[in-house]
Amino acid sequence: AIESLKKASDIEPAKMSAPATIAGFDLILGNFDDAAKHIQHLREHGPSDDADLVEGESAFLQGRFQQSRDCFIRLSQSEDPLYRSYGHFLMTRLLAEQGKYNDALDAVEAGLEDDLKTGDSAHRAGMILDRAYLNCRRMHYDSCLEDVKSAIDLDRSLPRLLGVVTLLGQAAYEANGGIRTRMAVELRRIEAQLPPGNLRPLSDIVRSHARGEALLAEGRWEPALDEFRKANKLEPPSLGKEYLARALITAANHASDAASARQLREEALDAYAVTALKPQLVWQWPVDFVPGRLSNDVLSYAKLAALLGPWEEAQRLLKTYVSRRSSPDPDNREDREAANLLRSTQ
């Protein structure tokens, strides 16, 4: 595929789609030097938007966070409203990966204001959902639920609903008592209102996710795991599997014997590994993932690896996590947990 795109770029060097796509593939493969060549081509032969976008992603993957931030700032100031929107989305994700949730929320508000001016309801729904997710991470559940309903009012597409049910499921998994019950009720409401039709396999994937998240929030982990396994079979293997990991961990916590529990946790570790060990799968196009998704999966993987062994892998990931989040918000529970876990494995 890359060779074909290179030929297309040679034939029509003024067109930006081929070098931008090649650079994206390079990021997935970790070929940062080759990606840099195509980024330079983008800068020399067209508007800087594509170059800033890919360079910002590449810089993040190489740990150059200030460079990444500079690229996304420029992107959010583009003359093209689509790229401005991308800039706000990407800045939100960069800040969330660094544990700067308050700053990430400011980036969301800037994007919402911009999209309101342009009338871009789909991207506005996405940004409202980003705000909902960030508020859930901060345990501001009332705001989260309000934004979920607002996002659905703007965009009831199947991909958007998939994002919504996953967000609510993640929130329910970390909450308890009345909050979890409210999340379960909202999940059932969304499941009942899924649009009719058979846009397979997407419609089947979304229905399995919605049912699975509702069941897991209700404490019915066995049928929830069945639904998630159905979804997993239909989805590409490169997509994140954190939803499956959550159900597997819950099942392990209720296993009848230690051997079964360990087997389930090892399967959950493999599910988290899809993204935790391959950050480029998220950051080649992080807009498709919730803000901070990579860091969340890395911490979840490290916690399981510390439990199951080997500790060396958990230590390596935790050091990367702590380095990326060197100046997080002071009240972040995840960063306290990561620091304590790192100390316990040394």
Side-chain angles (χ1 to χ4, degrees):
I2 292 177
E3 289 304 317
S4 297
L5 287 165
K6 285 181 177 179
K7 290 178 182 178
S9 181
D10 291 339
I11 293 169
E12 297 186 87
K15 289 193 173 181
M16 298 295 102
S17 57
T21 304
I22 295 170
F25 281 134
D26 281 335
L27 296 189
I28 293 174
L29 297 171
N31 295 337
F32 298 116
D33 290 341
D34 194 60
K37 296 176 185 176
H38 295 291
I39 291 167
Q40 187 60 34
H41 176 95
L42 291 168
R43 240 178 242 298
E44 291 175 352
H45 292 87
S48 62
D49 293 339
D50 283 312
D52 284 333
L53 192 157
V54 183
E55 183 182 328
E57 294 171 337
S58 179
F60 173 87
L61 288 168
Q62 296 176 78
R64 301 200 295 260
F65 303 124
Q66 185 58 52
Q67 180 184 350
S68 181
R69 185 185 182 109
D70 291 343
C71 288
F72 297 153
I73 288 173
R74 289 195 298 270
L75 201 61
S76 66
Q77 296 169 347
S78 168
E79 294 182 2
D80 186 324
L82 176 61
Y83 282 93
R84 283 204 307 274
S85 191
Y86 287 159
H88 295 302
F89 275 121
L90 291 165
M91 180 62 79
T92 300
R93 280 147 181 77
L94 169 63
L95 293 166
E97 295 284 12
Q98 296 180 290
K100 301 176 186 291
Y101 294 148
N102 293 326
D103 289 345
L105 283 166
D106 289 341
V108 169
E109 295 301 331
L112 285 170
E113 183 178 350
D114 205 350
D115 282 341
L116 185 61
K117 294 175 184 175
T118 61
D120 187 342
S121 60
H123 280 160
R124 183 170 173 78
M127 288 183 184
I128 290 173
L129 206 58
D130 283 353
R131 186 171 65 189
Y133 180 78
L134 291 167
N135 276 321
C136 277
R137 300 304 298 177
R138 297 163 74 230
M139 303 176 72
H140 296 178
Y141 295 114
D142 288 336
S143 298
C144 172
L145 284 167
E146 287 177 14
D147 276 340
V148 161
K149 292 173 182 176
S150 296
I152 294 175
D153 287 341
L154 286 170
D155 182 5
R156 298 189 64 84
S157 66
L158 287 173
R160 183 70 66 212
L161 291 171
L162 177 57
V164 167
V165 298
T166 303
L167 184 159
L168 290 173
Q170 290 169 337
Y173 182 73
E174 296 185 354
N176 51 44
I179 297 297
R180 179 175 291 182
T181 299
R182 289 174 64 191
M183 297 294 178
V185 169
E186 184 63 18
L187 282 162
R188 284 299 187 191
R189 187 184 73 82
I190 294 170
E191 181 194 358
Q193 294 179 2
L194 286 175
N198 293 310
L199 298 174
R200 292 178 174 170
L202 181 57
S203 55
D204 290 340
I205 290 170
V206 175
R207 287 190 178 91
S208 287
H209 273 274
R211 290 192 198 106
E213 295 291 7
L215 288 163
L216 193 60
E218 293 166 351
R220 300 164 63 192
W221 61 88
E222 291 175 311
L225 184 55
D226 290 340
E227 290 295 337
F228 286 154
R229 289 196 189 280
K230 291 179 190 175
N232 184 42
K233 288 179 180 178
L234 294 171
E235 291 177 332
S238 60
L239 283 182
K241 309 293 180 185
E242 69 81 29
Y243 65 92
L244 181 61
R246 285 188 278 111
L248 288 163
I249 291 170
T250 305
N253 292 340
H254 292 86
S256 58
D257 59 88
S260 297
R262 183 177 181 87
Q263 183 177 358
L264 289 163
R265 291 190 177 103
E266 287 176 344
E267 190 179 349
L269 192 69
D270 289 339
Y272 279 130
V274 173
T275 47
L277 301 186
K278 297 178 181 177
Q280 63 271 29
L281 291 182
V282 176
W283 266 85
Q284 185 272 331
W285 187 234
V287 175
D288 283 344
F289 297 85
V290 294
R293 172 62 184 275
L294 174 62
S295 292
N296 297 341
D297 284 2
V298 164
L299 181 56
S300 296
Y301 181 96
K303 287 192 291 187
L304 271 181
L307 178 66
L308 299 171
W311 279 19
E312 293 80 7
E313 182 72 2
Q315 286 178 340
R316 182 184 69 81
L317 286 171
L318 285 168
K319 287 176 181 177
T320 301
Y321 181 97
V322 170
S323 174
R324 182 187 301 131
R325 299 165 71 102
S326 58
S327 301
D329 291 342
D331 56 344
N332 276 6
R333 55 195 168 92
E334 300 101 323
D335 294 281
R336 291 195 301 271
E337 186 176 13
N340 292 336
L341 186 59
L342 181 58
R343 283 193 292 270
S344 72
T345 60
Q346 291 177 334

